[in-house]
Amino acid sequence: MPSYPLVSRAIRSRSTRSSTTTYPMSVAFSTHTTLPILHNISGFRKRCHSNHNTVAAAGFGDAGGVSVVISSSRDVFENLALEQLLLRERAGRCLFMWRDDPCVVIGKHQNPWLEVDLKQLRERGFVLARRASGGGAVFHDLGNLNLSFITARDEYCRAENLSFVQCALSKRFGKHVQLNDRDDLLFDGRKISGSASRLERTRAFHHLTLLLDSNLRDVQSLLTPSVGLDIQCKATKSVRSHVANLFHPSHPSPTDLEKQIGEEYLAGTSSTSKSMAVLDPGTIARVSETARDLRGWDWLYGLTPAFTCSIALRMERGDRIAVQIQTYHGRIRSCCLQTTRTNRTPHTSRLQSLLEKLSGVKFERQSILSALQELEANHVLKDCTDAVISLPII
């Protein structure tokens, strides 16, 4: 890929940095590389474009080639799974692009209870996803385009990728965007894109979002965590920014934009083997298997770094008493009553012994409710169920 002039020298000097702020891929092929995830796939949908050759259903380009892959799926788990598979099972360079139905995607090391309005997310039928890269929480919908540049690790260069996006938007659409010191792309001073990366032993990806015509109200409301939980933890916290859309509805459709960015990406390489194809990841068995894991509770919530949470429970006589909950991997490790000399009673001792039964329970509403049934049955707590239901946890 050629160098693009819009990235400052200061940004170039730290292009190998692995920590980031936000979001998505790129692939080329070595001489003897087999492409198992795309080989003999029934139902592989070809809508291929290339300046030099056509992509065959049996593979993606020839040795030493450069490819563009566009996902036809709108399922965030399928798309994240395909990204992981491309990272680990393909050699070379590729630009992967996709869009998702409304969802919130958090970084690998984040706490969802601190980052997302989980109650609103559930009520609106949207999903939560956790990606394999670091950085902050982002909102995806069909008005947001994700781009992922996947390369060999020694070819990883975030600054070059960002410069390509700047140049492509300027050349194809006359949109002049700026880059800040957090590797965010800005338009008229507002953030339209953020980046995150994953570097493995021999391969790497740098992915980013691009707000085209996204629902900015949803961005604001869903990424504002629910109040009511006093959480202390060392998880990665998102950096809040003012955001904007790059286009209005009258501008090119996301599908046209994907195609034009892809063509620009292929035009910027001297490789004699170039290809562009639309792929349905749902037709790939290993993508489906990985997607199931990404949907699972253990990945979504069990990966959450340890945290401490304080809540208040109402006692039988109407008094409230604080309970400190320590969690590990999304499960309750311990519950400790925060009693004082004035509110310590025989009931509190009984309550403490019963709360110990919560050890190992998932930090989620239904699991806690089930475990607390015995507390209510023993008349230790009053309106315990209502208290738990009111908590902003899933």
Side-chain angles (χ1 to χ4, degrees):
M1 230 176 119
S3 295
Y4 293 89
L6 295 182
V7 177
S8 70
R9 185 173 302 170
I11 296 300
R12 284 188 186 278
S13 68
R14 55 187 183 83
S15 64
T16 57
R17 189 184 64 186
S18 60
S19 60
T20 54
T21 317
T22 356
Y23 332 113
M25 153 169 32
S26 172
V27 182
F29 311 109
S30 61
T31 305
H32 300 292
T33 299
T34 302
L35 306 177
I37 66 169
L38 298 175
H39 186 69
N40 293 331
I41 298 171
S42 61
F44 173 59
R45 301 195 308 127
K46 303 186 294 293
R47 191 182 69 192
C48 308
H49 311 273
S50 174
N51 292 340
H52 299 284
N53 58 353
T54 300
V55 180
F60 257 178
D62 298 324
V66 177
S67 69
V68 173
V69 179
I70 301 172
S71 174
S72 65
S73 174
R74 300 297 175 246
D75 184 297
V76 63
F77 302 109
E78 290 183 349
N79 288 324
L80 292 176
L82 178 56
E83 181 182 41
Q84 289 190 31
L85 228 57
L86 289 171
L87 172 69
R88 292 169 181 168
E89 301 199 12
R90 298 187 78 183
R93 181 184 294 270
C94 168
L95 171 61
F96 172 53
M97 291 182 282
W98 79 90
R99 292 181 296 133
D100 294 317
D101 288 326
C103 62
V104 171
V105 184
I106 60 174
K108 183 177 181 181
H109 308 294
Q110 289 200 290
N111 183 321
W113 293 279
L114 271 180
E115 300 294 335
V116 187
D117 187 339
L118 294 171
K119 185 173 183 291
Q120 180 188 169
L121 194 74
R122 183 182 64 253
E123 290 174 346
R124 298 184 63 182
F126 299 163
V127 298
L128 175 74
R130 186 188 293 271
R131 62 182 183 270
S133 61
V138 294
F139 174 72
H140 290 184
D141 64 7
L142 296 180
N144 170 73
L145 177 63
N146 302 288
L147 301 91
S148 188
F149 299 86
I150 302 176
T151 62
R153 178 165 176 151
D154 59 3
E155 294 179 344
Y156 168 84
C157 184
R158 179 183 295 199
E160 187 175 86
N161 299 334
L162 291 168
S163 186
F164 160 73
V165 175
Q166 284 182 301
C167 287
L169 292 175
S170 176
K171 180 178 178 180
R172 294 274 177 156
F173 306 103
K175 296 289 185 177
H176 300 287
V177 299
Q178 302 80 42
L179 183 68
N180 69 10
D181 59 1
R182 295 185 57 82
D183 291 348
D184 299 328
L185 292 175
L186 309 178
F187 182 65
D188 288 341
R190 289 179 175 261
K191 181 175 175 178
I192 60 169
S193 173
S195 294
S197 302
R198 181 172 180 84
L199 278 69
E200 299 193 343
R201 188 173 62 87
T202 61
R203 301 288 293 166
F205 70 64
H206 163 221
H207 54 198
L208 57 93
T209 55
L210 193 58
L211 293 173
L212 305 177
D213 184 30
S214 191
N215 188 325
L216 299 185
R217 290 184 179 179
D218 284 343
V219 174
Q220 176 68 30
S221 63
L222 291 169
L223 297 184
T224 301
S226 305
V227 296
L229 290 180
D230 179 17
I231 292 178
Q232 304 296 323
C233 70
K234 295 182 179 180
T236 301
K237 294 184 179 179
S238 298
V239 177
R240 310 295 169 181
S241 304
H242 295 294
V243 298
N245 282 318
L246 185 61
F247 293 115
H248 296 293
S250 59
H251 281 75
S253 70
T255 300
D256 290 337
L257 186 68
E258 288 171 336
K259 179 183 175 182
Q260 293 193 51
I261 289 178
E263 290 173 344
E264 191 68 22
Y265 184 79
L266 296 178
T269 178
S270 60
S271 172
T272 58
S273 178
K274 310 176 188 182
S275 62
M276 183 186 297
V278 174
L279 173 65
D280 179 3
T283 65
I284 306 172
R286 273 175 293 171
V287 167
S288 299
E289 293 169 3
T290 302
R292 283 197 296 271
D293 292 337
L294 295 178
R295 288 187 178 92
W297 190 94
D298 287 340
W299 174 260
L300 290 176
Y301 299 99
L303 211 63
T304 303
F307 66 92
T308 300
C309 173
S310 296
I311 62 174
L313 293 179
R314 185 162 57 185
M315 300 295 289
E316 185 179 10
R317 62 186 185 182
D319 297 337
R320 288 187 176 272
I321 190 167
V323 179
Q324 185 181 76
I325 301 175
Q326 292 185 340
T327 74
Y328 183 70
H329 289 327
R331 294 178 180 270
I332 296 173
R333 172 178 277 180
S334 66
C335 289
C336 181
L337 291 179
Q338 305 294 293
T339 59
T340 64
R341 186 174 299 178
T342 57
N343 67 5
R344 191 177 298 124
T345 69
H347 283 302
T348 58
S349 297
R350 171 69 171 159
L351 176 59
Q352 179 61 61
S353 65
L354 291 172
L355 286 177
E356 291 174 0
K357 297 181 180 296
L358 294 180
S359 179
V361 172
K362 293 177 180 178
F363 189 69
E364 62 180 13
R365 178 179 288 104
Q366 192 54 52
S367 295
I368 296 175
L369 281 173
S370 297
L372 287 176
Q373 294 305 312
E374 185 175 351
L375 300 181
E376 286 196 296
N378 283 275
H379 305 292
V380 178
L381 297 178
K382 180 180 180 180
D383 297 331
C384 174
T385 301
D386 291 340
V388 173
I389 288 176
S390 68
L391 294 175
I393 60 178
I394 59 170

